[in-house]
Amino acid sequence: MLWAGRMKLGTFGILLVFVHASGACEFGPFPYSVTGIACRMTKPAALLLNQETAQVIQAAFRNAKFPNITGERSMRLLGKVAYWLTNIQVNDLSIEQSEVELKENDAIHIAIKNVTAVFKGTLTYGYAGAWFLQLFHSVDFEIDSSIDLQINIKLMCQKDQVAADASDCYLTFHKLTLHLQGDKEPGWLKQLFTDFISFTLKFVLKSEVCNEINFLAQLLANFVHDLAANFVQDEDIRLDISLASVPLIKANYLESHHKGLVLYKNYSDVFSDSVFSPVLLTESRMLYFWLSEHILNSLASAAFLDKRLALTIRGEELQALFEMEDTETQRKVVQMIFQGTSYNDSVAKVWSIAHPQISLHPEGTVVKSLVAVEISIFPPGEESLMVLYMEKEITVTIQAAYVEKKLILHPLDSRIEFKVFKCTADPSGNDPSIRNFLQTMISAVGIPEVISRIEPALTALMNSKGLNLFEIRNPEIITRKGYIIVQLDFSFPNHLLLDFLEKTL
């Protein structure tokens, strides 16, 4: 038997093998040493995502390009009988059940049971009789089918990213019934062609559907990679999420390890001393992200180089900072610093002088930064005047949480050490009242004010990447010596995958 497209499918298979072979990745003897980010998805998350399998399978059947099927056979008395099945399409697809199992160090096994589908098309047949009698005819046909699918998806590294190989795919047919021109009753014509085409049709359906499933698996793997890459990028600052080792499949979880190097213009990031180990993560939650302290330090350095660590405060916001308490001492100091100038005619600038240093500890994230503060006034009719300049080293411990789709940063203890202090109201620097007031103001109001601005900015950034589309339950941000763990349960946004399939296919 012959069918159109057979050579095309064979060529596709050869190319697929070649791409997998040529795209293999090489890792050093200690791959965890360059792991900056690790992601673990446990079996409950895999079961949840398996609920979306129906959409993928439906897309696979719907988008499979079924070739025309051609065959012929010699029949006693009738001579040679030839047939052509053309315009094959699938309709009325339904899936009864889908199950997933993680096979350790092997594959993700998906069993899809009782897929019912109706295939429609046109059957053209003809035969040359023993007495040179020739008949040719075309009829519409329907094929009722009931199919089970077994798919084993292997995870591998291809071009330094996770790739899915679903070529290990099997279709089992429980029913394959041919109807001609809507006639549901058995007849000699239906019986004749059912016997002829049954084997060929099964082979073609398996080949085309499985190839489409394999294509979609790779497409979805690229989609997840692109989604993750976009999430960890903001303008010129991004993270290299290429793989640091081959993805793991365990009985209770899937795990991938990524380099996590910061990429920013000419900034060069190198990392080869990771403390990651799979034993640092548990299996009680659905999703885990492990991040090295090195990543946060590199991101802070990139933000510094990109001139993002700067803040301008004026007007009512400036007034709120300096009038945190209504005391005689406070009023006197404010009068000395601003020289009677209105807050609306004043401006404070705050910026980081050097790369902030970040270290992770059980009590929280410790940020150490050398910060400059400059206050200038603009008296009416006069030139601007800088009335205060100081450089101070600030060390603050921060605890983070994610509540009601908002990032919450809670500052704990802080330490302030003045490095440079210049004030026109105190040229000698011998008046302790100004410096003491500023130190109290920075600790009690200044640091919380800066953090309160960072919170919505980071929340807005994460939401712009689609984080708010997920229903995240009981998220925990846990800091340890040298690393941070984010663990959570979640609900998958159904429309996300459906929108992707509709746009792509």
Side-chain angles (χ1 to χ4, degrees):
M1 293 185 178
L2 302 173
W3 54 89
R6 183 173 183 177
M7 182 175 293
K8 179 184 71 174
L9 293 176
T11 304
F12 175 81
I14 293 172
L15 288 175
L16 189 62
V17 172
F18 176 76
V19 168
H20 281 173
S22 64
C25 308
E26 295 183 1
F27 303 106
F30 307 104
Y32 292 156
S33 66
V34 295
T35 296
I37 303 174
C39 176
R40 174 177 291 187
M41 178 184 293
T42 60
K43 191 168 183 178
L47 293 173
L48 176 66
L49 294 177
N50 185 55
Q51 297 175 9
E52 310 302 317
T53 303
Q55 296 182 24
V56 179
I57 299 305
Q58 289 172 349
F61 274 85
R62 186 172 61 249
N63 290 280
K65 306 301 181 183
F66 299 107
N68 297 335
I69 300 174
T70 304
E72 67 177 22
R73 187 172 179 179
S74 296
M75 297 292 295
R76 184 178 299 177
L77 300 178
L78 294 177
K80 286 187 177 181
V81 178
Y83 62 86
W84 302 264
L85 273 70
T86 57
N87 303 320
I88 302 175
Q89 299 176 354
V90 63
N91 289 40
D92 303 327
L93 180 71
S94 67
I95 297 175
E96 182 178 286
Q97 185 180 358
S98 178
E99 300 174 352
V100 64
E101 179 184 359
L102 304 180
K103 294 185 176 180
E104 186 153 348
N105 299 322
D106 184 15
I108 306 167
H109 176 71
I110 299 177
I112 302 167
K113 299 181 179 179
N114 196 18
V115 179
T116 59
V118 176
F119 296 90
K120 295 184 178 182
T122 302
L123 168 64
T124 301
Y125 63 92
Y127 55 89
W131 298 280
F132 304 102
L133 176 63
Q134 292 186 345
L135 296 176
F136 299 95
H137 192 50
S138 293
V139 295
D140 293 332
F141 71 84
E142 290 185 1
I143 299 173
D144 292 334
S145 67
S146 177
I147 308 168
D148 286 351
L149 281 82
Q150 303 287 333
I151 308 168
N152 292 308
I153 303 176
K154 295 182 181 295
L155 299 181
M156 60 187 67
C157 178
Q158 180 179 318
K159 297 181 180 178
D160 291 328
Q161 70 182 59
V162 177
D165 179 8
S167 58
D168 188 1
C169 169
Y170 300 92
L171 271 65
T172 302
F173 291 83
H174 299 297
K175 181 178 73 171
L176 195 68
T177 306
L178 176 68
H179 305 295
L180 300 178
Q181 291 184 320
D183 180 12
K184 306 297 182 180
E185 297 299 325
W188 72 272
L189 188 61
K190 185 177 71 172
Q191 184 63 46
L192 173 67
F193 287 108
T194 297
D195 293 341
F196 278 8
I197 70 175
S198 178
F199 174 79
T200 305
L201 184 60
K202 289 179 180 179
F203 189 86
V204 169
L205 292 181
K206 174 189 180 303
S207 177
E208 293 298 330
V209 171
C210 284
N211 278 337
E212 188 65 26
I213 290 174
N214 192 28
F215 169 74
L216 286 176
Q218 296 178 52
L219 204 64
L220 288 171
N222 291 334
F223 169 66
V224 172
H225 177 273
D226 293 343
L227 200 67
N230 177 64
F231 190 84
V232 294
Q233 177 176 0
D234 182 47
E235 297 180 3
D236 291 334
I237 302 175
R238 59 191 178 94
L239 290 180
D240 174 10
I241 59 171
S242 58
L243 286 176
S245 64
V246 176
L248 295 180
I249 299 179
K250 297 294 184 180
N252 294 319
Y253 65 84
L254 309 171
E255 189 170 282
S256 60
H257 315 108
H258 308 264
K259 295 176 182 177
L261 299 177
V262 171
L263 305 175
Y264 172 75
K265 295 182 179 178
N266 296 326
Y267 176 79
S268 180
D269 194 13
V270 179
F271 182 50
S272 60
D273 193 23
S274 176
V275 298
F276 175 77
S277 171
V279 299
L280 298 177
L281 304 179
T282 65
E283 301 171 16
S284 60
R285 307 298 297 274
M286 294 173 68
L287 194 60
Y288 295 82
F289 294 101
W290 182 97
L291 295 92
S292 167
E293 176 182 282
H294 175 85
I295 287 180
L296 299 183
N297 264 310
S298 297
L299 286 173
S301 296
F304 170 78
L305 294 173
D306 204 43
K307 302 185 184 305
R308 300 191 185 194
L309 304 183
L311 180 64
T312 299
I313 306 173
R314 52 168 53 92
E316 293 181 356
E317 293 178 341
L318 188 59
Q319 181 178 3
L321 285 175
F322 278 88
E323 296 185 359
M324 59 178 182
E325 56 182 21
D326 188 14
T327 65
E328 182 65 28
T329 301
Q330 173 260 317
R331 289 192 292 270
K332 180 180 178 182
V333 170
V334 170
Q335 178 69 24
M336 292 172 62
I337 294 176
F338 289 89
Q339 301 179 17
T341 303
S342 166
Y343 290 111
N344 290 328
D345 295 322
S346 308
V347 62
K349 296 180 180 180
V350 184
W351 69 95
S352 185
I353 299 175
H355 299 200
Q357 299 175 17
I358 297 177
S359 57
L360 299 172
H361 303 273
E363 58 269 22
T365 302
V366 179
V367 181
K368 185 176 181 180
S369 181
L370 185 60
V371 177
V373 177
E374 179 184 283
I375 297 179
S376 298
I377 61 174
F378 304 88
E382 300 181 24
E383 293 185 358
S384 63
L385 174 65
M386 185 180 72
V387 295
L388 176 68
Y389 176 83
M390 56 183 174
E391 295 177 5
K392 55 193 182 300
E393 186 177 81
I394 298 178
T395 303
V396 59
T397 301
I398 301 172
Q399 289 184 345
Y402 189 75
V403 181
E404 296 181 351
K405 299 188 177 183
K406 294 180 180 179
L407 180 66
I408 306 298
L409 301 176
H410 179 60
L412 300 179
D413 65 303
S414 60
R415 298 186 301 277
I416 300 172
E417 180 181 352
F418 287 93
K419 300 294 185 181
V420 177
F421 185 84
K422 299 177 182 178
C423 181
T424 56
D426 180 23
S428 64
N430 295 325
D431 188 345
S433 63
I434 296 179
R435 188 173 301 200
N436 291 339
F437 168 77
L438 290 173
Q439 184 157 355
T440 302
M441 183 205 72
I442 293 168
S443 298
V445 184
I447 293 175
E449 171 68 17
V450 172
I451 290 179
S452 69
R453 292 179 178 234
I454 294 175
E455 285 176 341
L458 291 178
T459 298
L461 176 61
M462 292 187 295
N463 288 343
S464 71
K465 306 298 184 179
L467 184 63
N468 58 328
L469 300 178
F470 291 81
E471 290 300 325
I472 296 176
R473 300 189 299 274
N474 304 319
E476 294 181 85
I477 302 175
I478 303 170
T479 54
R480 293 290 184 262
K481 179 64 175 177
Y483 62 90
I484 187 171
I485 296 174
V486 180
Q487 55 188 38
L488 53 94
D489 299 318
F490 70 97
S491 296
F492 192 81
N494 296 331
H495 62 87
L496 188 64
L497 181 58
L498 185 61
D499 289 348
F500 167 72
L501 291 174
E502 290 179 349
K503 292 177 182 178
T504 306
L505 304 175

